[in-house]
Amino acid sequence: MSRASNQPDQRITLPSWQQRMVVSSPNPNPNSEWLAQVVEDPLLPELEIVDAHHHLWDRSGFRYLLEEYADDIGFSGRNVVASVFVQCRSMYRQHGAEEMKPVGEVEFVRGVAAQANSGYYGKTSVSAAIVGGANLLLGSKVATVLDAMQEAGGGLFKGVRTPVAAHAEDVIRSNPVPVPEGLMLTKEFIAGAEQLVQRDLLLDLWVYQSQLHEVTQLARALPSLRIVINHAGGPLGVGTYSINRERHFSEWRVALSELANCPNVSIKLGGFGMPIMGFEFSKKPMPPSSKELAQHIAPYINVCIELFGHERCMFESNFPVDKGSYSYGVLWNAFCRVSEHWSAHERDLVFQGTARSIYQIKRG
């Protein structure tokens, strides 16, 4: 396939997993002209940021690598000092055992981190921490994969994320490759998670609000396992969840409250641009301003802060996924607006301190 064209070469048969990635992503691709309608000067431009969750990929018709990410940071005027890469099935190995193919993603991102550290793309230590995609359903056999990822990551590899987000309603889907329900409490998954504990690696989890009770059971079963919940615990706003949203918000809060009682769990605040959240930003004539965005997301962020405390919360961009709904600069301005009444110490924790601690990112 030629990089000069945005269209797949029809003479080439793509691997089945790549075909799914190309055609079935439920998230809208960014529209540069649409996003350009709302441009804002940065609020608190000197505030240090560790972007706790982003992706890098080169998919058919949608390229988001170091240059694109660095451009978003630079154009936003934000002081992003470091970032955390999270698995997205990017640059898997072409050959070898199936379970070892995700090691290629860690190898790729470690190279990007070295590229970023040249300073040519700005001052951000992009991918200062790497969350890979080892399949914990391998059980204890995942040990070989984790060891290979640790070697490939060269100290940047901090943990894994195995896709588990699942729901019976077809409209509730955010993963390009759907998975069955109920994976987290299988004996295989728990055995795989135990291998993380043995290596002091963490587990990132992207789940929907309907699965939070499963995470609570997992966190209690493995109290030494460090768990990081993605995207505010997956509050839903589509399908049956689009009806009586106040009730579903309350149910999300109750489930999240139970999970917050587990001291081994922290949470990322973001992901609100995904269609399953139900805000429908991408369907409007103009993207939201930071003021408008802050009004929508503040209730969710405030609940997370109340339940987990600033020391267990961290802001994330979820780019480029959320770029289909708002720009990088608007998002971080919205976070500034939501946090305007916090103390300087509390703001510092959620913008960078918690992520540094959880992902063991050194300064300088």
Side-chain angles (χ1 to χ4, degrees):
M1 186 183 299
S2 171
R3 283 272 299 119
S5 171
N6 287 332
Q7 299 300 320
D9 186 337
Q10 298 302 316
R11 296 169 298 175
I12 297 176
T13 301
L14 297 174
S16 59
W17 66 268
Q18 190 174 358
Q19 291 178 18
R20 291 195 295 270
M21 295 296 285
V22 170
V23 302
S24 63
S25 176
N27 302 300
N29 287 359
N31 182 324
S32 298
E33 292 183 359
W34 181 75
L35 290 171
Q37 295 180 91
V38 178
V39 178
E40 300 179 352
D41 292 331
L43 302 175
L44 303 175
E46 301 304 317
L47 183 65
E48 285 194 355
I49 293 170
V50 172
D51 185 346
H53 190 112
H54 73 90
H55 309 290
L56 299 167
W57 60 52
D58 195 353
R59 298 175 180 170
S60 179
F62 189 0
R63 182 181 191 269
Y64 198 82
L65 297 175
L66 176 58
E67 295 141 292
E68 288 76 19
Y69 183 50
D71 283 347
D72 279 335
I73 293 171
F75 189 73
S76 73
R78 308 303 324 189
N79 185 22
V80 182
V81 296
S83 73
V84 179
F85 170 89
V86 179
Q87 70 81 219
C88 55
R89 299 184 180 90
S90 189
M91 304 296 178
Y92 278 19
R93 289 176 176 175
Q94 184 176 1
H95 304 293
E98 194 67 29
E99 67 270 17
M100 297 298 290
K101 289 182 178 180
V103 178
E105 184 171 52
V106 178
E107 294 171 324
F108 154 64
V109 180
R110 182 186 178 185
V112 171
Q115 188 180 2
N117 286 339
S118 70
Y120 184 78
Y121 300 88
K123 66 180 181 181
T124 308
S125 294
V126 175
S127 304
I130 300 171
V131 176
N135 182 8
L136 295 184
L137 293 169
L138 293 169
S140 61
K141 293 180 181 178
V142 78
T144 302
V145 182
L146 295 176
D147 290 344
M149 286 184 167
Q150 285 188 300
E151 182 178 357
L156 301 181
F157 177 67
K158 305 300 182 180
V160 305
R161 184 175 75 162
T162 298
V164 294
H167 198 282
E169 291 187 53
D170 290 339
V171 70
I172 299 176
R173 183 170 73 86
S174 60
N175 291 327
V177 182
V179 299
E181 295 183 74
L183 298 181
M184 285 178 287
L185 298 180
T186 61
K187 63 180 182 179
E188 293 84 3
F189 191 94
I190 292 174
E194 288 174 339
Q195 294 297 314
L196 295 176
V197 175
Q198 292 180 23
R199 291 162 177 77
D200 193 28
L201 296 171
L202 55 79
L203 174 63
D204 261 58
L205 283 176
W206 167 217
V207 298
Y208 305 137
Q209 66 176 78
S210 54
Q211 298 174 286
L212 290 173
H213 66 286
E214 295 179 37
V215 183
T216 300
Q217 293 180 62
L218 177 64
R220 290 173 176 169
L222 296 175
S224 296
L225 176 65
R226 294 182 294 128
I227 298 174
V228 182
I229 299 300
N230 299 171
H231 316 326
L236 297 169
V238 295
T240 57
Y241 293 84
S242 64
I243 304 169
N244 195 349
R245 292 196 62 165
E246 289 186 1
R247 176 170 66 86
H248 295 301
F249 180 92
S250 178
E251 292 172 349
W252 163 78
R253 181 192 174 108
V254 169
L256 203 62
S257 176
E258 183 180 19
L259 180 58
N261 288 327
C262 300
N264 54 326
V265 180
S266 56
I267 192 166
K268 296 179 183 178
L269 313 180
F272 302 105
M274 292 184 291
I276 61 164
M277 299 289 194
F279 295 115
E280 298 189 332
F281 297 122
S282 64
K283 295 181 179 180
K284 297 179 180 179
M286 291 183 62
S289 66
S290 62
K291 185 175 182 180
E292 179 186 356
L293 180 57
Q295 290 172 342
H296 281 91
I297 68 179
Y300 299 90
I301 291 175
N302 291 339
V303 166
C304 291
I305 293 293
E306 176 189 342
L307 297 178
F308 286 85
H310 297 84
E311 66 279 0
R312 286 197 287 158
C313 292
M314 62 198 98
F315 283 135
E316 51 153 332
S317 72
N318 194 35
F319 263 46
V321 177
D322 281 23
K323 192 176 180 178
S325 293
Y326 37 69
S327 71
Y328 200 81
V330 163
L331 172 62
W332 289 100
N333 274 359
F335 288 154
C336 287
R337 293 183 185 279
V338 172
S339 65
E340 63 181 346
H341 298 301
W342 301 353
S343 71
H345 175 65
E346 291 168 342
R347 186 183 296 115
D348 183 65
L349 282 172
V350 185
F351 275 88
Q352 64 94 20
T354 301
R356 282 192 187 278
S357 176
I358 295 294
Y359 290 101
Q360 301 169 347
I361 299 173
K362 298 179 182 178
R363 291 184 176 273

